[in-house]
Amino acid sequence: MLVKENLENFKSKIDQGVTLVAVSKTKPISDIMEAYEAGQRNFGENKIQEMVNKYEALPKDIKWHMIGHLQRNKVKYMAHFVDLIHGVDSFKTLNEINKQAKKHDRIINCLLQARIAKEETKFGLEFREIESILQSKELAELENIKIVGLMGMASFSSNEEEVSAEFQGLKALFDSINASNIELKILSMGMSGDYKIAIKNGSNMIRVGSAIFGSRNYIV
Ligand SMILES: *Cc1c(COP(=O)(O)O)cnc(C)c1O
């Protein structure tokens, strides 16, 4: 019952315009089913193989979000069902997603991951690289992908101002792209520890794991 209670409590706190992706990585099928029965349909995983196994075992109206860093050679395993890929950080990866989506006659929605944290370990594109990908002729040729927004992870910091400034920077980029002739709908920012700050700064999609499913037993 805990998952259901956490989820309901959580949903009562966030605005209707914000999509909640329940991050179920490392969690068992039974936890996901409990969330599903409470009405949750968007789930996020960070490993392709784990997501494929869960997809096969669970109801087919679940929307699966790939939120982790992508291994290009594994994109083919999820191309027939993935709903949104959050962590795209190279043109090469877009190319591979396009190629695999084409085989299934699908258009796969993608987010470009921006590097907003100061920490060295965080993946992601620089803002100017995002703008150049979006404006490139090569992108226009990829008919089986669609870039529908941006994703970012802030520093793991207790300094609220620093986290807030990082989210604000990405929101500014999102707005400036939308002011051009390119339309982006989704701004995926915020996790269990910083979703409130992210929403304050314009996030409309949050990726929340531990605040719903409890802490994970191992680091992923
Ligand atoms: C694990 C993960 C989350 C969720 O983290 P929590 O702190 O458990 O909410 C969100 N986004 C990404 C990219 C993740 O890998």
Side-chain angles (χ1 to χ4, degrees), residues 134-165:
L134 287 170
Q135 287 156 9
S136 68
K137 266 209 242 50
E138 292 90 338
L139 180 68
E141 285 161 16
L142 303 183
E143 293 181 337
N144 293 79
I145 55 138
K146 187 166 164 57
I147 295 174
V148 295
L150 305 176
M151 181 268 217
M153 287 172 86
S155 299
F156 286 111
S157 163
S158 54
N159 182 341
E160 224 179 272
E161 277 169 32
E162 184 185 333
V163 172
S164 188

Short mmCIF file of all heavy atoms in Angstrom, two decimals, residues 134-165:
data_model
loop_
_atom_site.label_atom_id
_atom_site.label_comp_id
_atom_site.label_asym_id
_atom_site.label_seq_id
_atom_site.Cartn_x
_atom_site.Cartn_y
_atom_site.Cartn_z
N LEU A 134 19.45 21.33 -33.41
CA LEU A 134 18.06 21.66 -33.78
C LEU A 134 17.97 22.38 -35.12
O LEU A 134 16.97 22.27 -35.82
CB LEU A 134 17.40 22.49 -32.67
CG LEU A 134 17.05 21.70 -31.40
CD1 LEU A 134 16.62 22.65 -30.29
CD2 LEU A 134 15.94 20.69 -31.67
N GLN A 135 19.02 23.12 -35.44
CA GLN A 135 18.98 23.89 -36.70
C GLN A 135 19.59 23.14 -37.87
O GLN A 135 19.57 23.63 -39.00
CB GLN A 135 19.71 25.22 -36.50
CG GLN A 135 18.91 26.21 -35.65
CD GLN A 135 19.79 27.24 -34.97
OE1 GLN A 135 20.98 27.33 -35.24
NE2 GLN A 135 19.18 28.01 -34.08
N SER A 136 20.15 21.94 -37.61
CA SER A 136 20.93 21.29 -38.66
C SER A 136 20.06 20.67 -39.75
O SER A 136 18.95 20.19 -39.50
CB SER A 136 21.85 20.22 -38.06
OG SER A 136 21.07 19.17 -37.55
N LYS A 137 20.59 20.68 -40.96
CA LYS A 137 19.92 20.05 -42.10
C LYS A 137 19.83 18.54 -41.89
O LYS A 137 18.87 17.90 -42.28
CB LYS A 137 20.74 20.31 -43.37
CG LYS A 137 20.30 21.53 -44.15
CD LYS A 137 20.61 21.32 -45.63
CE LYS A 137 21.58 22.26 -46.28
NZ LYS A 137 22.86 22.60 -45.78
N GLU A 138 20.88 17.98 -41.25
CA GLU A 138 20.91 16.54 -41.02
C GLU A 138 19.73 16.09 -40.16
O GLU A 138 19.16 15.03 -40.36
CB GLU A 138 22.22 16.13 -40.32
CG GLU A 138 23.46 16.28 -41.19
CD GLU A 138 24.11 17.67 -41.05
OE1 GLU A 138 23.41 18.63 -40.64
OE2 GLU A 138 25.30 17.79 -41.35
N LEU A 139 19.37 16.92 -39.21
CA LEU A 139 18.25 16.56 -38.33
C LEU A 139 16.95 16.47 -39.13
O LEU A 139 16.16 15.55 -38.96
CB LEU A 139 18.08 17.57 -37.19
CG LEU A 139 16.92 17.25 -36.24
CD1 LEU A 139 17.21 16.00 -35.43
CD2 LEU A 139 16.61 18.42 -35.31
N ALA A 140 16.76 17.43 -40.01
CA ALA A 140 15.54 17.45 -40.82
C ALA A 140 15.40 16.18 -41.66
O ALA A 140 14.29 15.79 -42.02
CB ALA A 140 15.55 18.69 -41.71
N GLU A 141 16.53 15.53 -41.92
CA GLU A 141 16.48 14.29 -42.72
C GLU A 141 16.10 13.05 -41.92
O GLU A 141 15.81 12.00 -42.49
CB GLU A 141 17.84 14.07 -43.41
CG GLU A 141 18.01 15.02 -44.59
CD GLU A 141 19.47 15.16 -45.02
OE1 GLU A 141 20.31 14.32 -44.62
OE2 GLU A 141 19.76 16.13 -45.75
N LEU A 142 16.12 13.17 -40.59
CA LEU A 142 15.77 12.01 -39.75
C LEU A 142 14.25 11.99 -39.55
O LEU A 142 13.72 12.67 -38.69
CB LEU A 142 16.50 12.08 -38.40
CG LEU A 142 18.03 12.15 -38.46
CD1 LEU A 142 18.61 12.14 -37.05
CD2 LEU A 142 18.61 11.02 -39.29
N GLU A 143 13.59 11.21 -40.39
CA GLU A 143 12.13 11.28 -40.41
C GLU A 143 11.45 10.43 -39.35
O GLU A 143 10.25 10.54 -39.13
CB GLU A 143 11.62 10.84 -41.80
CG GLU A 143 12.02 11.83 -42.87
CD GLU A 143 11.53 11.45 -44.25
OE1 GLU A 143 11.26 10.24 -44.48
OE2 GLU A 143 11.41 12.35 -45.09
N ASN A 144 12.22 9.57 -38.69
CA ASN A 144 11.60 8.68 -37.71
C ASN A 144 11.91 9.04 -36.26
O ASN A 144 11.71 8.24 -35.35
CB ASN A 144 12.00 7.22 -38.00
CG ASN A 144 11.38 6.77 -39.32
OD1 ASN A 144 11.89 7.08 -40.39
ND2 ASN A 144 10.27 6.06 -39.25
N ILE A 145 12.40 10.25 -36.07
CA ILE A 145 12.51 10.77 -34.70
C ILE A 145 11.92 12.16 -34.66
O ILE A 145 11.85 12.85 -35.69
CB ILE A 145 13.98 10.86 -34.19
CG1 ILE A 145 14.81 11.69 -35.16
CG2 ILE A 145 14.59 9.50 -33.95
CD1 ILE A 145 15.74 12.62 -34.44
N LYS A 146 11.51 12.56 -33.46
CA LYS A 146 11.05 13.93 -33.28
C LYS A 146 11.60 14.44 -31.95
O LYS A 146 11.42 13.78 -30.91
CB LYS A 146 9.51 13.96 -33.27
CG LYS A 146 8.94 15.35 -33.25
CD LYS A 146 7.45 15.32 -33.60
CE LYS A 146 6.73 16.61 -33.23
NZ LYS A 146 7.30 17.82 -33.84
N ILE A 147 12.27 15.57 -32.01
CA ILE A 147 12.76 16.16 -30.76
C ILE A 147 11.65 17.03 -30.19
O ILE A 147 11.25 18.02 -30.81
CB ILE A 147 14.05 16.98 -30.99
CG1 ILE A 147 15.16 16.02 -31.45
CG2 ILE A 147 14.46 17.70 -29.71
CD1 ILE A 147 16.44 16.70 -31.86
N VAL A 148 11.13 16.61 -29.05
CA VAL A 148 9.96 17.28 -28.49
C VAL A 148 10.28 18.11 -27.25
O VAL A 148 9.39 18.71 -26.66
CB VAL A 148 8.83 16.26 -28.17
CG1 VAL A 148 8.31 15.61 -29.44
CG2 VAL A 148 9.30 15.20 -27.17
N GLY A 149 11.55 18.11 -26.85
CA GLY A 149 11.87 18.93 -25.68
C GLY A 149 13.29 18.73 -25.18
O GLY A 149 14.14 18.15 -25.88
N LEU A 150 13.52 19.21 -23.97
CA LEU A 150 14.85 19.18 -23.36
C LEU A 150 14.78 18.53 -21.98
O LEU A 150 13.75 18.57 -21.31
CB LEU A 150 15.39 20.61 -23.21
CG LEU A 150 15.44 21.49 -24.46
CD1 LEU A 150 15.93 22.89 -24.09
CD2 LEU A 150 16.34 20.88 -25.53
N MET A 151 15.91 17.95 -21.57
CA MET A 151 16.00 17.34 -20.25
C MET A 151 17.29 17.81 -19.58
O MET A 151 18.29 18.04 -20.26
CB MET A 151 16.03 15.82 -20.43
CG MET A 151 16.11 15.01 -19.17
SD MET A 151 17.78 14.60 -18.65
CE MET A 151 17.55 12.94 -18.02
N GLY A 152 17.23 17.97 -18.26
CA GLY A 152 18.45 18.35 -17.55
C GLY A 152 18.43 17.83 -16.12
O GLY A 152 17.37 17.64 -15.53
N MET A 153 19.62 17.56 -15.61
CA MET A 153 19.79 17.16 -14.21
C MET A 153 20.67 18.19 -13.51
O MET A 153 21.79 18.45 -13.94
CB MET A 153 20.49 15.80 -14.13
CG MET A 153 19.60 14.64 -14.54
SD MET A 153 20.57 13.12 -14.64
CE MET A 153 20.49 12.58 -12.93
N ALA A 154 20.15 18.72 -12.42
CA ALA A 154 20.90 19.74 -11.68
C ALA A 154 21.96 19.08 -10.81
O ALA A 154 21.97 17.86 -10.61
CB ALA A 154 19.95 20.56 -10.82
N SER A 155 22.86 19.87 -10.27
CA SER A 155 23.88 19.38 -9.34
C SER A 155 23.20 18.74 -8.12
O SER A 155 22.13 19.18 -7.69
CB SER A 155 24.74 20.54 -8.83
OG SER A 155 25.41 21.15 -9.91
N PHE A 156 23.82 17.71 -7.59
CA PHE A 156 23.35 17.16 -6.31
C PHE A 156 23.88 18.08 -5.22
O PHE A 156 24.97 17.90 -4.70
CB PHE A 156 23.89 15.74 -6.09
CG PHE A 156 23.23 14.72 -6.95
CD1 PHE A 156 23.91 14.11 -7.98
CD2 PHE A 156 21.89 14.37 -6.73
CE1 PHE A 156 23.30 13.16 -8.79
CE2 PHE A 156 21.27 13.42 -7.54
CZ PHE A 156 21.98 12.81 -8.57
N SER A 157 23.11 19.09 -4.90
CA SER A 157 23.60 20.11 -3.98
C SER A 157 22.48 20.53 -3.06
O SER A 157 21.30 20.55 -3.44
CB SER A 157 24.09 21.30 -4.81
OG SER A 157 24.22 22.43 -4.00
N SER A 158 22.82 20.88 -1.84
CA SER A 158 21.80 21.37 -0.92
C SER A 158 21.66 22.88 -1.07
O SER A 158 20.82 23.50 -0.43
CB SER A 158 22.16 21.01 0.52
OG SER A 158 23.45 21.49 0.79
N ASN A 159 22.47 23.45 -1.94
CA ASN A 159 22.38 24.89 -2.20
C ASN A 159 21.25 25.17 -3.19
O ASN A 159 21.39 25.01 -4.40
CB ASN A 159 23.73 25.37 -2.75
CG ASN A 159 23.75 26.86 -3.00
OD1 ASN A 159 22.69 27.51 -3.10
ND2 ASN A 159 24.94 27.42 -3.10
N GLU A 160 20.12 25.60 -2.62
CA GLU A 160 18.91 25.77 -3.43
C GLU A 160 19.09 26.80 -4.53
O GLU A 160 18.55 26.65 -5.63
CB GLU A 160 17.74 26.17 -2.53
CG GLU A 160 16.49 25.39 -2.87
CD GLU A 160 15.33 25.76 -1.97
OE1 GLU A 160 15.20 25.13 -0.90
OE2 GLU A 160 14.56 26.65 -2.35
N GLU A 161 19.85 27.83 -4.24
CA GLU A 161 20.05 28.88 -5.24
C GLU A 161 20.82 28.38 -6.45
O GLU A 161 20.52 28.74 -7.58
CB GLU A 161 20.81 30.07 -4.63
CG GLU A 161 19.90 31.00 -3.88
CD GLU A 161 20.67 32.03 -3.05
OE1 GLU A 161 21.78 32.42 -3.48
OE2 GLU A 161 20.16 32.40 -1.99
N GLU A 162 21.80 27.52 -6.17
CA GLU A 162 22.60 26.97 -7.25
C GLU A 162 21.74 26.06 -8.14
O GLU A 162 21.74 26.17 -9.37
CB GLU A 162 23.75 26.17 -6.62
CG GLU A 162 24.75 25.61 -7.62
CD GLU A 162 25.81 24.73 -6.94
OE1 GLU A 162 26.09 24.93 -5.74
OE2 GLU A 162 26.30 23.81 -7.61
N VAL A 163 20.96 25.18 -7.51
CA VAL A 163 20.08 24.27 -8.25
C VAL A 163 19.06 25.08 -9.05
O VAL A 163 18.81 24.82 -10.23
CB VAL A 163 19.39 23.29 -7.27
CG1 VAL A 163 18.33 22.46 -7.98
CG2 VAL A 163 20.43 22.38 -6.61
N SER A 164 18.50 26.08 -8.41
CA SER A 164 17.50 26.93 -9.04
C SER A 164 18.10 27.64 -10.28
O SER A 164 17.46 27.70 -11.33
CB SER A 164 17.01 27.95 -8.01
OG SER A 164 15.93 28.66 -8.53
N ALA A 165 19.31 28.13 -10.14
CA ALA A 165 19.96 28.83 -11.26
C ALA A 165 20.20 27.88 -12.44
O ALA A 165 20.04 28.26 -13.60
CB ALA A 165 21.28 29.44 -10.79
#
